[in-house]
Amino acid sequence: MSATELAPVRWSHLKNMCQSPAHYRYRLEHPISETPAMRIGTYVHKLLLGGPRLVEVYPGDRRGKAWEEFDAAYGKIATVLNRSEGETASRIANAVMEHKQAMELLYSGAREETISWVQTGRVCVGTPDVASASVLVDLKVTVSADPKILRWHAIKMLWHAQLAWYANALSKINGFMPADIYIVAAESKPPYPVTILHMQPSAIMAGEAVWASCFSRLLQCEASGDWPAYSSVPVPFEAPSQDDLLFASEEEDA
């Protein structure tokens, strides 16, 4: 199969290469099931950004004939939230709406517009939350908007790599990178605080290194047909000495 016949590369799949090619291939063939947090995040995006995604809130319990009829009508074409999830999403969206700078950023460019580009011969697609020639913004619903916690969570979740991936796409489309890149993060529990992260060049460079490594490995796996897991060879295992364990224990107690 040629590169042009392969499914377009999406970040939601590519990020799994950071675990292993086997994880990437599995996720490509087995879409992830939506969690309550994912459903809430989807509805927050819908309320604030619009977009083509269908979202429905079911007011009752997910059981009985009424639910079966509702699920049959919407379950395969829409994200369906229960009443509690819908109320939480509405409160989060309202908190963002009350944050003047967050709303200015979320309305600073095209919202939920799918873009397509070619990277090293492979067709890629993506849907940045907000994008213009000068600004790139991503909206996140997260467990903590505390800046100290949020920074490390963003790195763990590869948000910097996702934004670098989209920034690279926009540079190919527009001929230059966006001047400013932001994350608007809303906490998922009361009082639903909002924090804005202004991505610095060092963060984007680090994110670029992540996606470039994943993408390079993807091309290698597609060419070879080999999709290894964590390691294809035996991994040396050495236990720490008793002195090292004692020192580590003393450090934790200090």
Side-chain angles (χ1 to χ4, degrees):
M1 183 179 293
S2 68
T4 55
E5 294 174 317
L6 294 168
V9 180
R10 299 176 181 273
W11 175 251
S12 59
H13 296 144
L14 182 62
K15 66 181 181 181
N16 292 287
M17 271 286 179
C18 286
Q19 287 184 272
S20 78
H23 287 83
Y24 170 89
R25 189 175 186 183
Y26 181 83
R27 188 53 60 207
L28 195 65
E29 298 171 351
H30 302 83
I32 193 168
S33 298
E34 281 191 324
T35 65
M38 292 170 65
R39 291 194 291 269
I40 290 171
T42 296
Y43 194 24
V44 171
H45 276 70
K46 183 69 175 181
L47 292 171
L48 293 171
L49 303 177
R53 287 178 290 189
L54 295 176
V55 182
E56 296 287 340
V57 178
Y58 182 69
D61 295 329
R62 295 181 182 231
R63 59 185 177 184
K65 184 177 180 180
W67 160 248
E68 291 173 359
E69 292 176 350
F70 186 92
D71 187 48
Y74 295 103
K76 293 183 180 180
I77 61 173
T79 295
V80 179
L81 295 82
N82 62 32
R83 180 167 48 195
S84 175
E85 293 166 350
E87 291 172 350
T88 297
S90 295
R91 294 189 189 106
I92 296 170
N94 288 337
V96 177
M97 290 178 188
E98 292 173 359
H99 195 293
K100 181 180 178 181
Q101 189 176 3
M103 290 304 292
E104 288 175 351
L105 288 173
L106 293 178
Y107 280 78
S108 62
R111 299 184 298 278
E112 296 278 354
E113 187 174 284
T114 298
I115 57 177
S116 177
W117 69 102
V118 177
Q119 183 72 35
T120 320
R122 284 289 271 113
V123 176
C124 305
V125 297
T127 308
D129 288 343
V130 181
S132 71
S134 60
V135 178
L136 175 63
V137 187
D138 202 53
L139 173 64
K140 300 293 187 185
V141 176
T142 184
V143 293
S144 176
D146 181 335
K148 300 186 294 295
I149 298 173
L150 183 60
R151 175 173 174 264
W152 292 109
H153 184 66
I155 293 171
K156 178 182 177 182
M157 299 301 293
L158 303 178
W159 292 349
H160 64 314
Q162 178 185 17
L163 283 165
W165 168 255
Y166 286 143
N168 168 72
L170 292 173
S171 73
K172 289 186 174 295
I173 294 169
N174 299 321
F176 51 87
M177 295 273 282
D180 291 292
I181 302 174
Y182 298 90
I183 293 175
V184 174
E187 194 166 299
S188 59
K189 56 184 181 296
Y192 311 109
V194 177
T195 297
I196 298 173
L197 297 181
H198 188 188
M199 306 299 287
Q200 300 301 294
S202 59
I204 297 303
M205 287 179 62
E208 187 173 77
V210 172
W211 77 251
S213 175
C214 290
F215 192 83
S216 176
R217 197 172 190 190
L218 171 63
L219 296 182
Q220 294 173 8
C221 291
E222 288 179 341
S224 67
D226 185 25
W227 301 86
Y230 296 115
S231 178
S232 299
V233 297
V235 177
F237 175 85
E238 295 182 5
S241 69
Q242 193 63 34
D243 289 342
D244 288 337
L245 290 173
L246 181 61
F247 178 77
S249 177
E250 291 173 347
E251 285 286 295
E252 290 178 359
D253 293 338

